[in-house]
Amino acid sequence: MSLVKFVPDQIEIEAEPGTNLLELAVDAGVELKAVCGGSGSCGKCQLIIEDGEVEVLDQGNLSPDKLKRGYVLACKTEIKGDLIVEIPPESRLSKHQVFIEEEVEEREDILTEEELAATQKLKLDPIYRQIELELNQPSLTDNVSDLERLQIELNRDRDLSSLQASLPVMKDLASHLRANDWKTQVSLSKLGDNYEITELKSLDDPKVDYGLAVDIGTTTVVVELVDLATGKVAAREGSYNKQANYGDDVISRINFAKENEGGLAKLNQAVIGTMNSLIDEIVSQQEIEQSQIKTAVLAGNTTMIHLLLEIDPNNIRLEPYIPTVSFVPPLRAKELNLKIKEDGLIHCLPGVSSFVGGDISSGTLAAEIADRDGITLFIDIGTNGELVLGNKEWLMTCSCSAGPAFEGGGITYGMRAMSGAIEMFDINPETYEVKYSTIGDVPPIGICGSGLINLLALLKDVGIIGRSGKFDEELEHERLRDGEYDKEFVLVWADEAGIEEDIVISENDIKNLLRSKGAVYAGIRMMLNSMALTEEFIDQVLIAGGFGNYINLDDALKIGLLPDLPLDKFKFIGNTSLKGARMSLLSEDKFEEVQEIAKKMTYLELSAENYSQDFMDEFVSAQFIPHTDLNLFPSVTGE
């Protein structure tokens, strides 16, 4: 066995020679960026070998200078003996800026029950509920069984036929009813089209029952603890999805699951571990027992749900892109090792296709698109771009393969919204000097998505790049120079940065950003075209997700990411995936509605033969700033 020490964390771990350094770092609890999932293509998992021998399988895109200084790609390096390994700041997957609705005006967790119900237009009717009953005592002439007696009373004035009862309930039923003088508090949990009797309590049992609403994002996971009796949010916690150690986007994670022995199990354990650590935090804060959390509603994209259930997701990425399951039957918490009541029911909200999942069905519910007369465009941009267009008459959806650029993937100094990420720039149009602000007000180590959108707009505004995204060849300035592979513009000099090198934006980075924004806008155009509509027919544009909350609208319009509409038509609506999960938890009607939304949505497969050429035409046209057709952006051009 060899001893590997990671500094400056001072973490030591033993491993066999030949062990992959990235996998060893993950096992040791060292969180590294691994955008590509260990294929070596992203070059983000850089480590410095201070002492010891390793076998380098591939140098990737490391510069000659870094190679001299002992840099390696962790995913392409195997240990040969004892090692001391330094973790540079730019490689570290530090704490995310997780948007958990604390900046939304209405804080549901401080509202009264009545205000909450009015705000969300909910009839409080949770899918796990308690009903107080007093049963008629049996006699020689009224001699039905205890369970039938309970079922008859439960179904009186209620549509609860075909009630099921768990074995623990049946075992406890006789003694419970007699000990409590035939008065009881029955807990019912939704199970398919019916309910299951899950627990019996005495009327004076003081314990509060809770449910979880969970948003399982590719980048982040947010867990909400909800009081099922009042509808109030008791606690909310979020963190990055630990699957990020195995790839930034869904395709890289699918590849990791396919290409690595035990890869699927590792991805499953990573997301379950993320959720359980958040549950642990909440349980500790609220001083409650895990058994008081009775049920959970989960919203996530199709790949996240497959990985959560440890179902092989490989066919999701292969034509004709068919998931194993879109409508997941209820599961028991113990089947997933989720830290709530062992036999508590877990509900995954339904998806529509391989690339439009339960998070979008949930978001569509929360945005109330199916309740409106006017046409709504719903946009959720993250590691992918999902779009919904429609009203109460029809719903259409598509996934526009935006890629991870807006999460920092494929960008030389791109990163997620973490400490040290530049989120806002200012460029002097005469001197080209650059000012910036970072998350956490610390020295910069990279650029997050909102910063990249802002930067792209500024570079075009001050004339450093043209409409095609290429640098002005006639511009002479020390910041504009020839890089190792293509031209680049220096944003932060090394002596100001939190890393030992200049932070730059290259022409290739800009090309990747234009591809991402072009895919989103092309997806919007495809849906409009398929309904013979133009942008003017859109009544409102709802922008969802944590990333959407930080987008500067002016910048997004300038680069052609969003349609050129009056600003008052745009609205940021936060984490709708989480909101829809909460609504489904608290209202049986909403739980049923989200099932119908998923069935009702028409999915536009942009790679299908009858759409692919039109999409490619739209995609190519959208890879200019703001677009090749300037008539589509009159406010940007001033015409």
Side-chain angles (χ1 to χ4, degrees):
M1 297 289 283
S2 301
L3 182 66
V4 178
K5 183 176 182 179
F6 292 94
V7 295
D9 299 45
Q10 305 302 320
I11 294 174
E12 295 184 353
I13 186 171
E14 290 187 336
E16 294 283 350
T19 301
N20 178 274
L21 193 53
L22 176 60
E23 292 186 18
L24 184 62
V26 173
D27 290 342
V30 175
E31 309 290 358
L32 296 178
K33 296 176 184 175
V35 174
C36 63
S39 68
S41 60
C42 72
K44 299 287 188 181
C45 62
Q46 300 177 16
L47 295 174
I48 303 169
I49 306 301
E50 287 196 351
D51 189 43
E53 289 189 53
V54 296
E55 181 173 355
V56 177
L57 306 178
D58 191 339
Q59 295 177 350
N61 57 2
L62 290 171
S63 66
D65 177 60
K66 284 192 170 181
L67 292 172
K68 287 179 184 177
R69 290 156 56 193
Y71 275 78
V72 298
L73 297 182
C75 66
K76 293 299 178 183
T77 303
E78 295 177 353
I79 71 171
K80 294 180 72 174
D82 292 350
L83 282 181
I84 298 177
V85 182
E86 180 184 343
I87 311 163
E90 64 270 25
S91 300
R92 192 180 293 274
L93 191 62
S94 59
K95 187 174 178 61
H96 283 62
Q97 180 167 297
V98 181
F99 179 64
I100 55 174
E101 296 191 85
E102 291 184 351
E103 293 155 0
V104 176
E105 288 182 10
E106 291 172 333
R107 288 291 306 278
E108 288 91 348
D109 54 342
I110 61 172
L111 298 179
T112 66
E113 178 183 350
E114 293 77 18
E115 288 170 330
L116 178 66
T119 300
Q120 297 183 330
K121 299 178 183 176
L122 284 182
K123 171 189 171 187
L124 192 58
D125 187 23
I127 60 173
Y128 184 98
R129 65 188 68 175
Q130 293 181 351
I131 298 175
E132 292 185 3
L133 296 174
E134 182 172 357
L135 280 62
N136 293 324
Q137 296 191 28
S139 66
L140 290 175
T141 55
D142 180 10
N143 56 8
V144 299
S145 71
D146 291 342
L147 182 58
E148 288 175 280
R149 187 177 303 277
L150 182 64
Q151 289 171 327
I152 289 168
E153 193 60 39
L154 276 169
N155 204 37
R156 194 184 304 278
D157 302 323
R158 302 180 187 92
D159 184 18
L160 294 172
S161 57
S162 305
L163 278 166
Q164 300 186 37
S166 66
L167 182 58
V169 165
M170 289 189 285
K171 287 181 176 181
D172 185 43
L173 182 60
S175 59
H176 171 81
L177 290 175
R178 287 160 180 82
N180 288 279
D181 196 26
W182 300 91
K183 297 173 185 176
T184 185
Q185 188 173 218
V186 183
S187 297
L188 301 179
S189 188
K190 188 164 180 61
L191 182 63
D193 293 331
N194 298 307
Y195 276 84
E196 178 184 64
I197 304 168
T198 60
E199 200 168 9
L200 303 170
K201 296 180 182 180
S202 61
L203 295 183
D204 58 357
D205 192 323
K207 288 185 179 178
V208 178
D209 287 339
Y210 295 96
L212 293 182
V214 185
D215 167 40
I216 306 174
T218 309
T219 304
T220 59
V221 176
V222 182
V223 174
E224 207 169 54
L225 182 73
V226 183
D227 184 328
L228 295 173
T230 66
K232 290 183 179 179
V233 177
R236 188 185 293 123
E237 290 294 333
S239 177
Y240 74 91
N241 187 336
K242 291 182 180 179
Q243 288 181 348
N245 291 304
Y246 307 106
D248 256 19
D249 55 41
V250 294
I251 298 301
S252 62
R253 293 183 200 174
I254 292 171
N255 289 338
F256 182 87
K258 179 70 175 176
E259 296 168 5
N260 293 272
E261 185 177 349
L264 180 57
K266 287 181 179 178
L267 288 162
N268 168 262
Q269 291 159 14
V271 70
I272 293 292
T274 304
M275 293 168 64
N276 279 338
S277 65
L278 294 172
I279 293 170
D280 284 341
E281 284 183 48
I282 286 173
V283 166
S284 176
Q285 288 170 11
Q286 299 299 308
E287 298 182 347
I288 63 173
E289 299 171 9
Q290 288 179 0
S291 60
Q292 286 179 256
I293 305 174
K294 307 298 186 180
T295 188
V297 175
L298 317 181
N301 68 47
T302 308
T303 299
M304 290 302 101
I305 296 301
H306 278 61
L307 296 177
L308 172 79
L309 306 181
E310 208 170 341
I311 295 173
D312 182 4
N314 195 50
N315 288 312
I316 288 174
R317 70 180 180 93
L318 302 175
E319 192 175 334
Y321 316 114
I322 305 300
T324 299
V325 60
S326 294
F327 288 76
V328 180
L331 303 163
R332 301 289 177 186
K334 59 187 175 184
E335 294 179 274
L336 296 180
N337 295 316
L338 200 63
K339 289 185 176 181
I340 68 170
K341 187 174 183 284
E342 272 197 355
D343 60 351
L345 289 171
I346 307 297
H347 304 274
C348 299
L349 295 186
V352 179
S353 69
S354 279
F355 295 106
V356 176
D359 53 341
I360 301 305
S361 302
S362 182
T364 303
L365 173 75
E368 300 179 330
I369 299 171
D371 300 331
R372 300 178 186 273
D373 293 315
I375 294 173
T376 295
L377 171 62
F378 173 90
I379 302 175
D380 191 331
I381 305 171
T383 47
N384 202 26
E386 289 95 18
L387 311 170
V388 177
L389 184 73
N391 58 16
K392 66 182 183 182
E393 300 295 332
W394 55 274
L395 290 170
M396 176 175 289
T397 183
C398 73
S399 173
C400 53
S401 302
F406 292 129
E407 296 281 351
I411 309 299
T412 308
Y413 289 92
M415 62 183 292
R416 294 181 180 149
M418 300 182 292
S419 179
I422 303 174
E423 56 182 347
M424 187 66 68
F425 288 91
D426 184 31
I427 301 177
N428 187 304
E430 295 179 359
T431 65
Y432 303 118
E433 290 307 303
V434 181
K435 294 181 180 179
Y436 50 82
S437 60
T438 65
I439 296 173
D441 293 323
V442 297
I445 60 174
I447 317 162
C448 66
S450 57
L452 288 167
I453 290 174
N454 170 244
L455 176 62
L456 195 58
L458 280 173
L459 290 173
K460 172 63 174 62
D461 276 351
V462 301
I464 295 173
I465 61 173
R467 289 182 55 214
S468 67
K470 291 196 173 291
F471 289 116
D472 181 357
E473 293 184 359
E474 297 182 2
L475 178 63
E476 294 184 4
H477 194 279
E478 61 176 342
R479 287 183 180 268
L480 184 60
R481 67 192 188 190
D482 291 326
E484 189 173 355
Y485 301 106
D486 59 354
K487 280 190 173 296
E488 60 189 27
F489 185 81
V490 179
L491 301 166
V492 183
W493 299 108
D495 58 359
E496 298 176 23
I499 54 179
E500 296 179 0
E501 54 191 278
D502 300 336
I503 295 175
V504 305
I505 186 82
S506 70
E507 272 191 350
N508 191 58
D509 294 335
I510 294 169
K511 185 185 295 185
N512 285 336
L513 287 170
L514 291 178
R515 285 175 181 154
S516 290
K517 80 92 182 175
V520 172
Y521 190 75
I524 296 170
R525 292 280 294 172
M526 286 295 294
M527 290 198 300
L528 289 169
N529 292 344
S530 68
M531 297 300 295
L533 299 172
T534 59
E535 285 82 349
E536 289 75 17
F537 283 90
I538 298 173
D539 186 59
Q540 63 174 351
V541 181
L542 304 179
I543 303 172
F547 172 62
N549 188 65
Y550 300 105
I551 292 176
N552 180 288
L553 271 181
D554 284 329
D555 293 335
L557 294 179
K558 283 180 181 178
I559 68 170
L561 172 63
L562 301 175
D564 193 3
L565 295 169
L567 292 183
D568 61 6
K569 285 196 172 188
F570 292 87
K571 184 179 180 183
F572 297 106
I573 54 174
N575 189 339
T576 52
S577 175
L578 183 67
K579 288 179 183 177
R582 184 198 317 130
M583 292 167 70
S584 301
L585 178 68
L586 290 176
S587 167
E588 182 181 3
D589 288 345
K590 294 301 179 184
F591 185 87
E592 296 297 342
E593 185 180 338
V594 78
Q595 314 296 318
E596 292 305 312
I597 283 171
K599 294 174 186 175
K600 179 181 178 180
M601 272 202 257
T602 299
Y603 176 61
L604 202 64
E605 176 51 71
L606 299 178
S607 63
E609 185 176 350
N610 52 330
Y611 293 120
S612 59
Q613 187 55 55
D614 289 342
F615 175 73
M616 187 55 63
D617 291 343
E618 290 286 354
F619 176 55
V620 171
S621 297
Q623 289 185 61
F624 288 78
I625 303 173
H627 197 273
T628 53
D629 184 357
L630 295 181
N631 292 320
L632 292 172
F633 290 87
S635 75
V636 177
T637 61
E639 297 177 3

